[in-house]
Amino acid sequence: MTGTTGPTIWIGDGLGGRAPHRLGVGSLIVGRHHEAGICLADDDVSSHHAELYWDGERLRVRDLGSRLGTEVNGAPVVDWIDLTEGDVIRFGTVDGTVEMAADGPALGTSAPPATVPVQGSAPKASRTPVFISHSAEDKRYVRLIAEYLRRQRWNVWVDEAGISGGKDYRAELMQALESSWIVVLVVSHASMTSKWVLREVEAADRLGLQVVPVVVEDVPYPDSLRMTLSSVQKVLATSLGDSDRRNAQLSRIDDALTTAASTRRHGKPGRFRMAVGMTIGILGGLGIVLGFASFVYLSETSGGGSEPFLGWGVFMVSMLVTAIGSAIYASGKKKGI
């Protein structure tokens, strides 16, 4: 593709110089992968780090869930933002400078998508994040999954990018879970023995969040998660290390999220309803204990009268109250699913 007024990204070559990367109309991936439109051989650059889009008039950039993130003039990039003359883009630790008009051959880029994403456009389901629960030992899998899902326009939360230095880890993690609508659980030997992963899944269950297990290593669930996950459909992704089979397995995760998004009822769990149900359940439980104790005591002291049936009546009514409380709690928990 040839252009006379297309923009150029001048990127440092690591030797004190800068190399020009001229853009043509369409989309261009920046990353460490050898097939990226702008290939940056730097360990701090993710394989699919960011995406540039030039429509002939506007140049835009977005991050693709990279490990160290993308910045423009020092500000982190999440969604599409416009670029102008002189803007400095940082891909991980590699800097590039935007020159909006340049002569010469443009890089071969893909044709523009049928629907061009605009600044601030929403991801597939909503702006609510997809939370990825994983062990630190599985970063190689997590980065592949996160980058792929970001390219499919899901809003992904991963702890290495979401928690700022100096913040309370547990509080930040809980806040991230509460703001998410679904949890992708990366299942491996390491994650199934990680106390943090187990806590995340248990917290997700308490919040009424759906959990999608993505199996990268075929291991059984621990006893503490077996009841929670036994009836949940797994997504098999045990060949992510095989480049020929990787995309097919990653697409299954995208399909699972699309299915979940199409069937879920929007909104967070009904926490007030859950609290009411729990309170009613506790009162019912106390009534069961009191009613049974009254029945036993009156049976021994009433001398065969009808008084024991009063305690039995309290016992039966309390069982009904407990069942009602449990139903209210369950309905509140499922509200956000």
Side-chain angles (χ1 to χ4, degrees), residues 125-131 154-155 176-183 208-211 256-262 264 267 336-337:
S126 70
R127 297 191 68 84
T128 310
V130 173
F131 184 101
W154 293 105
N155 186 358
L177 267 173
E178 289 177 343
S179 67
S180 301
W181 71 277
I182 197 167
V183 173
L209 300 179
Q210 288 178 272
V211 177
L257 292 180
T258 301
T259 300
S262 66
R264 87 189 246 264
I337 299 179

Side-chain angles (χ1 to χ4, degrees), residues 27-31 46-52 61-67 69-70 77-80 91 142-154 156:
S27 175
L28 192 72
I29 300 298
V30 180
S46 297
S47 58
H48 296 82
H49 195 103
E51 181 180 5
L52 294 163
V61 66
R62 68 168 176 171
D63 188 72
L64 294 176
S66 61
R67 180 169 61 92
T70 303
V77 172
V78 178
D79 214 336
W80 291 100
F91 307 103
V142 173
R143 288 167 188 158
L144 288 171
I145 294 169
E147 289 170 8
Y148 180 86
L149 293 179
R150 289 297 301 272
R151 291 199 301 275
Q152 303 305 312
R153 302 185 64 240
W154 293 105
V156 176

Side-chain angles (χ1 to χ4, degrees), residues 1-4 6-8 21-25 54 102-109:
M1 180 181 288
T2 302
T4 57
T8 299
H21 299 269
R22 295 192 175 98
L23 309 184
V25 172
W54 169 246
D103 295 329
L107 290 173
T109 57

Side-chain angles (χ1 to χ4, degrees), residues 10 14 47 50 56 78 87 96-97 101 154 180 190 242 246 260 271 288 304 310:
W10 290 86
S47 58
V78 178
D87 281 346
T97 304
W154 293 105
S180 301
D242 184 344
R246 181 180 302 151
R271 292 188 175 85
I288 289 174
L310 177 61

Side-chain angles (χ1 to χ4, degrees), residues 5-50:
T5 59
T8 299
I9 309 296
W10 290 86
I11 295 179
D13 59 11
L15 301 174
R18 297 192 305 165
H21 299 269
R22 295 192 175 98
L23 309 184
V25 172
S27 175
L28 192 72
I29 300 298
V30 180
R32 198 176 67 250
H33 196 278
H34 68 278
E35 293 182 352
I38 298 179
C39 181
L40 303 177
D42 189 291
D43 289 340
D44 290 331
V45 176
S46 297
S47 58
H48 296 82
H49 195 103

